[in-house]
Short mmCIF file of all heavy atoms in Angstrom, two decimals:
data_model
loop_
_atom_site.label_atom_id
_atom_site.label_comp_id
_atom_site.label_asym_id
_atom_site.label_seq_id
_atom_site.Cartn_x
_atom_site.Cartn_y
_atom_site.Cartn_z
N MET I 27 -126.75 45.93 -64.88
CA MET I 27 -128.02 45.38 -65.55
C MET I 27 -128.77 46.45 -66.25
O MET I 27 -129.22 46.32 -67.32
CB MET I 27 -128.78 44.66 -64.50
CG MET I 27 -130.02 43.99 -65.02
SD MET I 27 -129.62 42.75 -66.22
CE MET I 27 -131.18 42.10 -66.70
N ILE I 31 -129.99 47.36 -70.19
CA ILE I 31 -131.36 47.72 -70.64
C ILE I 31 -131.52 48.97 -71.44
O ILE I 31 -132.23 49.09 -72.40
CB ILE I 31 -132.34 47.71 -69.38
CG1 ILE I 31 -132.44 46.34 -68.77
CG2 ILE I 31 -133.71 48.30 -69.74
CD1 ILE I 31 -133.19 46.32 -67.43
N GLU I 34 -129.07 47.66 -75.09
CA GLU I 34 -129.06 46.46 -75.78
C GLU I 34 -130.33 46.05 -76.62
O GLU I 34 -130.23 45.62 -77.71
CB GLU I 34 -128.51 45.29 -75.00
CG GLU I 34 -127.09 45.47 -74.62
CD GLU I 34 -126.56 44.26 -73.87
OE1 GLU I 34 -127.29 43.27 -73.62
OE2 GLU I 34 -125.28 44.27 -73.46
N ASN I 37 -135.30 48.04 -79.45
CA ASN I 37 -135.98 49.32 -79.28
C ASN I 37 -135.57 50.06 -78.06
O ASN I 37 -136.35 50.67 -77.33
CB ASN I 37 -137.48 49.07 -79.27
CG ASN I 37 -137.96 48.23 -78.09
OD1 ASN I 37 -137.15 47.58 -77.44
ND2 ASN I 37 -139.25 48.30 -77.80
N LYS I 45 -131.98 57.99 -82.98
CA LYS I 45 -132.68 58.10 -84.30
C LYS I 45 -133.42 59.38 -84.40
O LYS I 45 -133.46 59.95 -85.41
CB LYS I 45 -133.54 56.89 -84.45
CG LYS I 45 -132.81 55.56 -84.80
CD LYS I 45 -133.67 54.36 -85.08
CE LYS I 45 -132.71 53.22 -85.40
NZ LYS I 45 -133.47 52.04 -85.60
N ASP I 55 -124.48 60.76 -78.40
CA ASP I 55 -123.63 59.75 -77.71
C ASP I 55 -123.88 59.94 -76.19
O ASP I 55 -124.23 60.93 -75.78
CB ASP I 55 -122.16 59.97 -77.99
CG ASP I 55 -121.79 59.45 -79.37
OD1 ASP I 55 -122.38 58.43 -79.80
OD2 ASP I 55 -120.95 60.08 -79.95
N LEU I 61 -124.27 56.84 -68.43
CA LEU I 61 -125.12 55.56 -68.30
C LEU I 61 -125.14 55.10 -66.94
O LEU I 61 -126.12 54.58 -66.38
CB LEU I 61 -124.73 54.56 -69.35
CG LEU I 61 -124.80 54.94 -70.85
CD1 LEU I 61 -124.23 53.86 -71.65
CD2 LEU I 61 -126.12 55.25 -71.28
N ALA I 63 -124.49 56.91 -64.28
CA ALA I 63 -125.26 57.80 -63.37
C ALA I 63 -126.80 57.69 -63.61
O ALA I 63 -127.57 57.76 -62.60
CB ALA I 63 -124.83 59.22 -63.74
N GLU I 66 -127.81 54.67 -61.67
CA GLU I 66 -127.78 54.90 -60.22
C GLU I 66 -129.02 55.63 -59.82
O GLU I 66 -129.63 55.31 -58.80
CB GLU I 66 -126.55 55.67 -59.85
CG GLU I 66 -125.22 54.92 -59.88
CD GLU I 66 -123.96 55.78 -59.96
OE1 GLU I 66 -124.06 56.91 -59.65
OE2 GLU I 66 -122.87 55.20 -60.16
N TYR I 91 -135.25 70.49 -77.32
CA TYR I 91 -135.80 71.79 -77.59
C TYR I 91 -134.89 72.66 -78.33
O TYR I 91 -135.24 73.50 -79.28
CB TYR I 91 -136.17 72.39 -76.29
CG TYR I 91 -136.86 73.76 -76.42
CD1 TYR I 91 -138.17 73.89 -76.90
CD2 TYR I 91 -136.11 74.97 -76.06
CE1 TYR I 91 -138.67 75.12 -76.97
CE2 TYR I 91 -136.74 76.16 -76.21
CZ TYR I 91 -138.02 76.28 -76.65
OH TYR I 91 -138.59 77.46 -76.85
N ILE I 93 -131.91 71.78 -80.20
CA ILE I 93 -131.32 71.36 -81.46
C ILE I 93 -132.03 71.85 -82.69
O ILE I 93 -131.38 72.27 -83.65
CB ILE I 93 -131.20 69.78 -81.44
CG1 ILE I 93 -129.98 69.47 -80.53
CG2 ILE I 93 -130.91 69.27 -82.88
CD1 ILE I 93 -129.69 68.00 -80.31
N PRO I 94 -133.34 71.73 -82.79
CA PRO I 94 -134.01 72.24 -84.09
C PRO I 94 -133.64 73.76 -84.38
O PRO I 94 -133.70 74.24 -85.46
CB PRO I 94 -135.42 71.97 -83.87
CG PRO I 94 -135.49 70.80 -82.87
CD PRO I 94 -134.37 71.07 -81.95
N LYS I 95 -133.46 74.51 -83.26
CA LYS I 95 -133.19 75.96 -83.42
C LYS I 95 -131.79 76.19 -83.87
O LYS I 95 -131.57 77.25 -84.44
CB LYS I 95 -133.47 76.72 -82.16
CG LYS I 95 -134.86 76.64 -81.63
CD LYS I 95 -135.12 77.60 -80.53
CE LYS I 95 -134.36 77.29 -79.34
NZ LYS I 95 -134.63 78.15 -78.15
N ASP I 96 -130.91 75.40 -83.77
CA ASP I 96 -129.45 75.64 -84.05
C ASP I 96 -128.93 74.59 -85.05
O ASP I 96 -128.60 73.43 -84.69
CB ASP I 96 -128.69 75.60 -82.75
CG ASP I 96 -127.23 76.14 -82.92
OD1 ASP I 96 -126.88 76.26 -84.13
OD2 ASP I 96 -126.57 76.42 -81.98
N SER I 98 -126.08 74.49 -86.48
CA SER I 98 -124.69 74.28 -86.43
C SER I 98 -124.34 73.19 -85.46
O SER I 98 -123.18 72.75 -85.50
CB SER I 98 -124.00 75.58 -85.88
OG SER I 98 -124.40 75.86 -84.55
N VAL I 102 -123.83 65.65 -79.91
CA VAL I 102 -124.14 66.00 -78.49
C VAL I 102 -123.64 64.74 -77.78
O VAL I 102 -124.06 63.63 -78.12
CB VAL I 102 -125.57 66.22 -78.25
CG1 VAL I 102 -125.84 66.47 -76.82
CG2 VAL I 102 -126.00 67.47 -79.05
N THR I 105 -122.91 63.57 -70.63
CA THR I 105 -121.87 63.16 -69.74
C THR I 105 -122.39 62.95 -68.27
O THR I 105 -123.48 63.25 -68.00
CB THR I 105 -120.79 64.32 -69.52
OG1 THR I 105 -121.48 65.42 -69.10
CG2 THR I 105 -120.11 64.63 -70.91
N ARG I 106 -121.54 62.23 -67.50
CA ARG I 106 -121.96 61.99 -66.07
C ARG I 106 -122.23 63.28 -65.35
O ARG I 106 -123.14 63.49 -64.59
CB ARG I 106 -120.88 61.32 -65.35
CG ARG I 106 -121.11 61.05 -63.88
CD ARG I 106 -120.01 60.28 -63.18
NE ARG I 106 -120.19 58.90 -63.26
CZ ARG I 106 -121.03 58.18 -62.52
NH1 ARG I 106 -121.70 58.75 -61.54
NH2 ARG I 106 -121.08 56.87 -62.57
N ILE I 117 -121.20 69.72 -76.57
CA ILE I 117 -121.78 69.98 -77.84
C ILE I 117 -120.73 70.25 -78.89
O ILE I 117 -119.92 71.16 -78.64
CB ILE I 117 -122.81 71.12 -77.77
CG1 ILE I 117 -123.97 70.70 -76.82
CG2 ILE I 117 -123.37 71.45 -79.11
CD1 ILE I 117 -124.93 71.81 -76.50
N GLN I 118 -120.71 69.50 -79.95
CA GLN I 118 -119.72 69.67 -81.01
C GLN I 118 -120.41 70.36 -82.16
O GLN I 118 -121.46 69.85 -82.70
CB GLN I 118 -119.11 68.39 -81.36
CG GLN I 118 -118.02 68.61 -82.30
CD GLN I 118 -117.20 67.21 -82.60
OE1 GLN I 118 -117.37 66.33 -81.72
NE2 GLN I 118 -116.53 67.04 -83.61
N PRO I 125 -110.45 67.62 -80.74
CA PRO I 125 -109.14 67.74 -80.41
C PRO I 125 -108.57 66.28 -79.98
O PRO I 125 -109.20 65.59 -79.27
CB PRO I 125 -109.11 68.65 -79.20
CG PRO I 125 -110.49 68.78 -78.80
CD PRO I 125 -111.39 68.28 -79.92
#
Side-chain angles (χ1 to χ4, degrees):
M27 180 65 178
I31 292 170
E34 291 182 4
N37 62 344
K45 286 185 179 174
D55 286 324
L61 297 177
E66 289 164 12
Y91 182 74
I93 284 177
K95 294 193 297 183
D96 191 346
S98 64
V102 177
T105 62
R106 175 180 275 279
I117 296 175
Q118 186 176 339

